[in-house]
Amino acid sequence: HRDLHSFPTRRSSDLSAMIFSTTGRKLYQADFGRLNTGVNIQQLQLNMPGGVYVVRLSNGNFALTKKIIKLIK
């Protein structure tokens, strides 16, 4: 399954993403490399069942952590 995710960046920077289960187990990691300022869309290869997950985006100086719900199609 492929999921598209978009997120804004205030300045050009290297970005990585990690996805965790609600118990804290790391399930996925991706390094996107250097992204330009503005809204970026990345395609993730998520072969996970529907459920609740925690996503952490990091550029080395700043990290954003959000809870997401993956719906079953």
Side-chain angles (χ1 to χ4, degrees):
H1 296 79
R2 294 177 185 204
D3 296 303
L4 295 176
H5 294 278
S6 66
F7 44 88
T9 54
R10 293 185 181 179
R11 61 179 167 236
S12 180
S13 62
D14 293 327
L15 188 74
S16 64
M18 290 183 279
I19 298 177
F20 299 90
S21 69
T22 54
T23 61
R25 193 173 120 222
K26 184 167 46 170
L27 304 171
Y28 180 86
Q29 182 170 349
D31 294 314
F32 301 118
R34 193 146 202 82
L35 299 178
N36 294 324
T37 302
V39 176
N40 291 275
I41 298 174
Q42 296 294 320
Q43 190 170 23
L44 306 178
Q45 297 282 353
L46 301 179
N47 296 319
M48 297 181 283
V52 178
Y53 299 95
V54 177
V55 176
R56 180 178 172 89
L57 299 173
S58 175
N59 70 356
N61 297 319
F62 178 76
L64 173 69
T65 304
K66 292 282 185 177
K67 191 180 293 187
I68 62 167
I69 299 172
K70 181 174 181 5
L71 301 176
I72 300 171
K73 292 184 179 180

